[in-house]
Amino acid sequence: MPPVPSHPQPKNGLGTTSLVMGILSLVGAWIPFVGFGAYITSVLGIVTGVLGRGRAKRGVATNGGAAMGGLVTSILGLASVILATVVYSSVMYAVATTDPSDLPTSVPSKSAAKDDAKPAAGIGDTVKDGDFAFTVTDVTTAASIGGAYGEDAQGRFVIVHVTAKNNGNKAEMFDASNQTLFDGKGREFSTAEAQMYLESDAFLQDINPGNSVKGKLVFDMPKNAKADRIELHAGVFGLSEGTTVSLR
């Protein structure tokens, strides 16, 4: 009986090596200092991937997919390590060229930062935004506005009495809808529709240079909420920087 011819074992080593090198390149590319080794593993992965693909095409290897995967991951690993080198070099250069005098000498405490966030102005103080000077003169409350033909509050109406003066050289609009009230929890409140039932100059009032108006800004707040501060804006659309007045 004639001997059965033996089939040679497939030579899959290069494709497997390429895949392993590609994975190592991707993983190690972004590890500081160690990542430089990804240059070597990615190049090895590319070379063995090309050779492995060649073996698969000649039929002496059966893992052409692994060789192709190793080739792709190795190319991506090489690109990653090059990018990582550029990023780390830029960071190191920036650190090396930073003037120590430009760095902060102290870090403010949490209490100091909290105090800085509090508005410096209060009721009776005059503050400025753009060409306008604002003075909050009083804060009152009401359950309803306008009588029988008016409006009841969902919670309660908080009415901020404010004087607005135009110190500019041309007429400018003062609009109640641009003003925002905040409670102690930092929640924002816009002016209520009940604004229209008040005899007030705060609704879309055009103020000529040197003139001032007294207005009432109405906000509908929950009964248990307390008005903490108001942010006042000159002009329309709320595009100005704004100024804050404490209502506590």
Side-chain angles (χ1 to χ4, degrees):
M1 183 177 180
V4 178
S6 60
H7 297 284
Q9 294 293 324
K11 299 180 179 181
N12 293 329
L14 290 176
T16 302
T17 300
S18 176
L19 186 59
V20 172
M21 292 296 104
I23 294 173
L24 290 176
S25 300
L26 284 175
V27 173
W30 293 95
I31 301 177
F33 303 109
V34 176
F36 287 108
Y39 279 108
I40 299 174
T41 55
S42 60
V43 171
L44 288 176
I46 293 172
V47 173
T48 53
V50 171
L51 295 177
R53 285 287 296 168
R55 283 187 175 182
K57 289 181 180 179
R58 294 195 303 272
V60 297
T62 59
N63 64 342
M68 186 62 188
L71 180 60
V72 172
T73 54
S74 296
I75 293 174
L76 292 176
L78 181 59
S80 297
V81 72
I82 292 174
L83 178 61
T85 301
V86 173
V87 171
Y88 289 144
S89 298
S90 300
V91 172
M92 293 177 66
Y93 176 79
V95 172
T97 56
T98 298
D99 189 346
S101 62
D102 294 336
L103 299 175
T105 55
S106 63
V107 178
S109 64
K110 292 184 178 180
S111 59
K114 185 176 181 181
D115 290 339
D116 291 341
K118 295 180 179 179
I123 297 175
D125 295 328
T126 299
V127 293
K128 295 181 180 180
D129 180 55
D131 292 330
F132 274 23
F134 296 104
T135 304
V136 175
T137 58
D138 197 7
V139 179
T140 59
T141 60
S144 62
I145 290 177
Y149 299 100
E151 184 176 338
D152 294 330
Q154 296 172 355
R156 65 168 180 167
F157 289 124
V158 174
I159 306 169
V160 180
H161 302 247
V162 60
T163 300
K165 182 178 181 181
N166 184 0
N167 291 323
N169 297 319
K170 60 181 180 180
E172 191 169 354
M173 185 79 67
F174 176 60
D175 184 5
S177 63
N178 291 338
Q179 321 311 324
T180 304
L181 189 73
F182 296 84
D183 68 2
K185 298 180 180 180
R187 295 180 295 184
E188 299 183 17
F189 297 84
S190 58
T191 50
E193 293 181 2
Q195 185 83 41
M196 66 180 68
Y197 297 108
L198 285 176
E199 294 181 1
S200 170
D201 292 329
F203 183 73
L204 290 176
Q205 178 67 35
D206 211 10
I207 307 176
N208 282 316
N211 287 346
S212 62
V213 298
K214 293 181 179 180
K216 297 176 183 178
L217 304 173
V218 181
F219 302 88
D220 195 342
M221 301 181 67
K223 293 182 179 180
N224 60 350
K226 294 183 178 180
D228 182 75
R229 63 192 185 278
I230 187 169
E231 186 176 279
L232 299 169
H233 291 268
V236 294
F237 307 121
L239 299 179
S240 67
E241 183 177 352
T243 183
T244 303
V245 177
S246 173
L247 302 179
R248 296 190 298 273

